Amino acid sequence: MEDIGIVAVGGYNEMGRNMTAVVVGEDIIILDMGIRLDRVQIHEDAEIDRMHSLELIDMGAIPDDTIMRDVNGTVRAIVCTHGHLDHIGAIPKLAHRYNAPIISTPYTTALIRQQIDEEKKFKVNNPLIALKAGGTYEITEDISVEFISIPHSIVDSVIAVIHTPYGSVMYACDFKLDRAPTLGESPDFDVLKKIGQDGVLAMITETTNSARSGKTPSETIAKEMLRDVLLGTEESHVGMIVTTFASHIARLNAIIEIAEEMGRIPVFMGRSMEKYLLAAHDLGYITLPDDVEIYGQRKDVDKALKKIMEDGKEKYLPVVTGHQGEPGSILVRISNGETPFKVESGDRIIFSANIIPSPMTRANRYALETKLKMRGARIYDDVHVSGHAYREDHWEMLRMVQPTHVIPAHGDLAMHSAYIEMAEDAGYVLGETVHLLRNGEILFLEP
C-alpha cells in the first residue's frame, strides 16, 4: 500500500494563492493555482501579465511551487475547482512548467482561457479540459477526478474528489451549504453522503469563515436584502449605484431582476464586469434582457456615465467595480471626481460585498467611503451574504463525509485554529487525524 502525500504549496498561511498537490506513488495531481491580489496591489505600477513568476513568488503573490522539485513523481493533471483568481490566477505564470492538462468546469475553463490569452510573459499551452459538475475524468489508469456541484459565490463551483487505489482525497475549497441558491444547483447531499460511506482518506477544506457561528445565510437572503434597499424607499428618484463582485453571477442576475422591478436600465461597468458577465451569458448560465448595457473600456464607461447624467439618474441602475476601493476602479474614480458622474446629496451607494479582511483593502475601502460621504452620498454597506461556510456548515460537512483525516486549508492560522477546535468537538485529534500544515510542508498519510 502506497502512502498518499499532501503537499501544502500555497494558501495554508494566508488567504489567497491556493495550491495543493496530491502525490500518489509516482503520480501527482495539482489542485488550484491561485494569486494573492493584495500583495500585487501594494505595488501600484505592477503589471502582472508582464511579470516573471519568480518575481511574483518573491512578492508572496503566487504559490512558491519551487518546492515541487523536491517531490518525486510526474504531474498528471492540474484541477481547478472554480474561477476565482485565488484559485486560477497563477495559471498563466506556473502551468507551463507542468506537462499536464488543466481540468475545470466549463465556466472556470472559459475564465482560465481568458487569463492565458492576456498573459504577456509566458506561453501556456496546457490542454484545457472542461468537465461538467457530476462528471468524472480518468487522469491515469488508476486515478480519476470526480466533480461534485457545490454552491459558492461564483457559478459552476465544485468539490473535487481524487479517487485512487489507496483511498479518496476530497478537496472542498470553496463551498457553502446553500439549500436555496438563486442560480445553479443546491448541494448534492446524496453524492456527498455516498462518497463518505465509500470512505474518504483525507478531506482538505477551506476555513475562511470557520470562526463565524451558525450557518451561512442563503443567497436568496442577499437577493431580498438588495430588493429591500433598492425598492423599499420613499426616495425612489435619487441616483443609486450598486457595487459587487464581478464574478458573482447570481448576485448580478438578482440586480438585473430588481432593476426591472424598479423600472431602471441596468448598466454594468468595468473590464471585469464585462469579462465575467459575457462569459456567463455565452455559456448559457444567465439570460441578459434586451435593455441591459455593458461597458468595459474606460472611454465607453465615461461616455455611459455622461449619458446617465444627461438623461437622469433615476432612469438607470449603474453596477460598477470598486467595492474594495481598488485603485483605478470605477467607484474610486467616481469618488475622486474623475468621471462625468457627479455624486449629489442623497445619492445611494450600495455595497453588495463584504470588506476582504486585509489591512490593505480595509484602508482602501475606508478612503473610498469617506470621499463618497464628503460628496453627499448615503452609504449602504454589507448588503451581502458570504459564499463561504460558517462553523455549523463545516460541522455538518465533516459529519456527513467522515474522512479519516482532515486538513484545513485556504486561510490563515486563526481560521485554521477555529476549524481545528470544531474538528476536535467531532472527535478528531490534532496531529493524528486533523493536521495543521504550513506552506512548503508535506504530509504523508497511510491508507
Side-chain angles (χ1 to χ4, degrees):
M1 291 287 273
E2 292 270 4
D3 284 0
I4 288 183
I6 309 292
V7 188
V9 189
Y12 286 79
N13 294 18
E14 67 277 292
M15 287 281 293
R17 64 168 183 163
N18 296 292
M19 182 168 165
T20 301
V22 178
V23 185
V24 186
E26 294 288 298
D27 298 317
I28 302 168
I29 313 299
I30 288 174
L31 296 159
D32 287 337
M33 207 174 258
I35 194 164
R36 182 180 174 185
L37 284 173
D38 63 328
R39 283 294 169 95
V40 180
Q41 281 178 357
I42 223 160
H43 305 272
E44 285 183 16
D45 56 350
E47 288 189 65
I48 306 174
D49 51 7
R50 295 181 190 280
M51 291 174 76
H52 197 282
S53 53
L54 295 176
E55 202 179 343
L56 287 160
I57 286 170
D58 285 346
M59 284 164 63
I62 64 175
D64 183 357
D65 74 336
T66 56
I67 65 162
M68 294 298 290
R69 293 173 195 154
D70 302 327
V71 181
N72 289 330
T74 305
V75 173
R76 300 295 182 191
I78 298 164
V79 176
C80 295
T81 54
H82 64 280
H84 280 150
L85 288 175
D86 58 334
H87 293 255
I88 65 168
I91 282 174
K93 301 297 179 188
L94 301 179
H96 65 279
R97 302 182 189 189
Y98 308 100
N99 182 18
I102 300 168
I103 305 166
S104 57
T105 56
Y107 186 63
T108 308
T109 302
L111 298 179
I112 290 170
R113 190 171 283 115
Q114 287 177 358
Q115 290 266 307
I116 290 170
D117 290 346
E118 289 164 10
E119 172 63 21
K120 307 278 194 301
K121 186 84 180 169
F122 298 106
K123 201 156 182 57
V124 177
N125 291 317
N126 304 57
L128 300 184
I129 295 169
L131 177 66
K132 286 185 174 171
T136 300
Y137 183 85
E138 302 291 329
I139 297 169
T140 70
E141 275 184 25
D142 294 330
I143 301 168
S144 63
V145 60
E146 179 181 359
F147 279 174
I148 303 167
S149 179
I150 198 79
H152 182 43
S153 48
I154 186 169
V155 291
D156 229 3
S157 294
V158 289
I159 286 172
V161 184
I162 309 296
H163 295 287
T164 84
Y166 316 110
S168 296
V169 177
M170 181 166 151
Y171 182 77
C173 298
D174 302 331
F175 73 94
K176 69 185 285 189
L177 299 183
D178 190 341
R179 287 163 175 81
T182 59
L183 208 61
E185 305 293 313
S186 53
D188 199 331
F189 292 111
D190 290 341
V191 171
L192 287 168
K193 285 172 186 168
K194 184 178 185 313
I195 282 171
Q197 284 157 9
D198 291 345
V200 172
L201 176 65
M203 180 170 79
I204 302 161
T205 173
E206 64 130 317
T207 62
T208 309
N209 280 339
S210 59
R212 295 183 71 167
S213 61
K215 75 192 289 287
T216 314
S218 167
E219 182 60 24
T220 300
I221 306 291
K223 186 175 182 178
E224 289 310 313
M225 288 166 77
L226 267 170
R227 181 179 272 120
D228 189 38
V229 166
L230 291 167
L231 285 164
T233 176
E234 297 305 305
E235 294 193 358
S236 54
H237 61 284
V238 299
M240 296 188 195
I241 295 176
V242 181
T243 181
T244 190
F245 296 97
S247 59
H248 202 326
I249 302 302
R251 191 74 49 86
L252 300 182
N253 197 48
I255 293 165
I256 290 169
E257 290 176 17
I258 296 164
E260 200 174 327
E261 290 177 52
M262 297 167 79
R264 294 193 183 209
I265 296 166
V267 186
F268 293 91
M269 301 186 193
R271 282 192 303 273
S272 55
M273 284 284 176
E274 181 180 52
K275 184 169 82 171
Y276 288 108
L277 206 51
L278 291 181
H281 178 253
D282 291 346
L283 288 166
Y285 289 99
I286 60 164
T287 307
L288 297 174
D290 294 338
D291 66 344
V292 72
E293 298 179 23
I294 304 169
Y295 303 100
Q297 300 304 315
R298 181 176 287 207
K299 65 177 192 310
D300 298 330
V301 168
D302 285 353
K303 207 184 290 181
L305 289 170
K306 188 167 184 257
K307 186 177 76 167
I308 289 169
M309 290 300 291
E310 288 168 356
D311 292 358
K313 292 177 181 175
E314 74 284 352
K315 293 187 173 72
Y316 298 92
L317 183 63
V319 187
V320 303
T321 56
H323 49 83
Q324 302 301 316
E326 305 94 323
S329 61
I330 291 162
L331 194 56
V332 167
R333 289 177 56 229
I334 288 171
S335 75
N336 289 333
E338 295 166 6
T339 75
F341 189 98
K342 297 290 170 270
V343 176
E344 293 158 307
S345 179
D347 283 355
R348 298 177 176 200
I349 314 291
I350 294 108
F351 287 86
S352 188
N354 61 322
I355 301 176
I356 292 168
S358 83
M360 183 86 182
T361 46
R362 283 196 182 104
N364 286 345
R365 176 71 174 264
Y366 173 77
L368 170 64
E369 286 193 29
T370 304
K371 286 175 186 172
L372 289 167
K373 285 174 187 168
M374 286 165 71
R375 292 180 182 275
R378 311 305 303 167
I379 303 290
Y380 291 73
D381 65 354
D382 212 22
V383 185
H384 178 67
V385 303
S386 176
H388 295 275
Y390 287 8
R391 187 188 303 140
E392 298 313 315
D393 300 310
H394 280 296
W395 170 265
E396 203 170 309
M397 179 68 91
L398 189 57
R399 302 256 287 192
M400 194 164 27
V401 176
Q402 296 187 337
T404 308
H405 299 272
V406 62
I407 300 153
H410 195 285
D412 59 26
L413 208 46
M415 295 165 184
H416 297 338
S417 299
Y419 187 92
I420 287 166
E421 288 183 337
M422 181 278 300
E424 287 177 336
D425 289 345
Y428 288 81
V429 178
L430 180 59
E432 289 180 23
T433 49
V434 58
H435 306 273
L436 179 63
L437 292 186
R438 308 297 280 155
N439 291 345
E441 292 185 347
I442 304 179
L443 172 71
F444 288 101
L445 300 172
E446 272 184 41

